[in-house]
Amino acid sequence: MSDNTENRESEPSTRDRILIAAATMVSEDPGTRLSVRAVAARAGVSTGSLRHFFPTQRALMDEVAAGITGLVANKNVIEDSTVPADERLLACMQQVLSATGTGEQARDTWRRTFGTYLDSELNADAIDTYLAFSAAGLRHIEHWLDVLETEGALPPGDNTQRAAYLNVVLDGLSVARALPTDAARLRSETEVLQHAIAMLFHTAVPVPKGDSA
């Protein structure tokens, strides 16, 4: 009887089964349509159960995007205040880049990305998927900056804009990983990240117009 109880406790909940099924579908095809029937069938649950947890497709897509992004960007790293702030931010950005891989893995990642969003005509589902993942990624970067600013380690500023800046840096380095490279170029990747981070820590906050010194 105890064995059965342990097995039941180890089984994913209905909500988790839905998210795992949806995440798997997105991984297999980034432009897939997460329809209620398709996801419910993949998860082995009723459409009513899916609607109970996720009333809309947008709610489901946002949760899937946040979950996958969270696997790449571990929040524990940025919250470890025993480590210097700039080193934590560097580690977080390196985590994101590592998900791209290098060489053939990186090329495969970007082939699928470009094939979904650039080579073919975009449909509403592909657009929704891209926007959900983009927003989730930016929220994670903004969270890193919010944590550091709250600690007083990062000068006050517009973390939404700063997150967008760091995201562009990550995108550029991620694409570069898919191109022919060498050890020296991979080492310079860390230097680029360190420079981008230094810009945030040492840039003065603009004074709003109308304010006097």
Side-chain angles (χ1 to χ4, degrees), residues 15 18-19 49-57 59-60 63:
R15 186 177 188 277
I18 293 169
L19 289 173
S49 292
L50 189 148
R51 285 295 192 195
H52 171 73
F53 293 103
F54 304 102
T56 65
Q57 284 178 295
L60 175 60
E63 189 73 15

Side-chain angles (χ1 to χ4, degrees), residues 17-161:
R17 284 163 58 194
I18 293 169
L19 289 173
I20 291 170
T24 302
M25 291 170 66
V26 170
S27 298
E28 293 172 349
D29 178 8
T32 191
R33 182 172 187 269
L34 294 181
S35 70
V36 173
R37 289 188 178 183
V39 176
R42 186 70 175 260
V45 303
S46 67
T47 56
S49 292
L50 189 148
R51 285 295 192 195
H52 171 73
F53 293 103
F54 304 102
T56 65
Q57 284 178 295
R58 168 60 69 181
L60 175 60
M61 189 68 252
D62 287 346
E63 189 73 15
V64 170
I68 293 177
T69 306
L71 292 175
V72 173
N74 190 328
K75 288 185 177 181
N76 294 333
V77 174
I78 200 66
E79 293 170 355
D80 183 3
S81 59
T82 63
V83 178
D86 58 341
E87 292 182 17
R88 278 181 276 159
L89 189 52
L90 174 64
C92 287
M93 295 181 75
Q94 288 176 323
Q95 275 188 334
V96 173
L97 276 178
S98 67
T100 302
T102 57
E104 191 55 38
Q105 181 184 352
R107 283 189 284 277
D108 182 62
T109 297
W110 282 107
R111 281 192 202 102
R112 292 197 302 136
T113 300
F114 288 141
T116 300
Y117 301 115
L118 293 180
D119 286 349
S120 57
E121 184 176 346
L122 283 178
N123 56 44
D125 297 313
I127 293 172
D128 284 346
T129 301
Y130 177 81
L131 292 178
F133 274 89
S134 178
L138 285 169
R139 282 195 297 270
H140 272 274
I141 298 174
E142 193 169 344
H143 169 73
W144 302 339
L145 301 176
D146 287 342
V147 169
L148 299 183
E149 186 177 343
T150 299
E151 289 179 5
L154 184 69
D158 186 337
N159 285 340
T160 299
Q161 287 188 343

Side-chain angles (χ1 to χ4, degrees), residues 185-199:
R185 186 168 172 181
L186 288 177
R187 285 196 299 271
S188 72
E189 179 181 277
T190 298
E191 296 174 358
V192 171
L193 290 174
Q194 290 172 329
H195 179 75
I197 291 169
M199 293 287 287

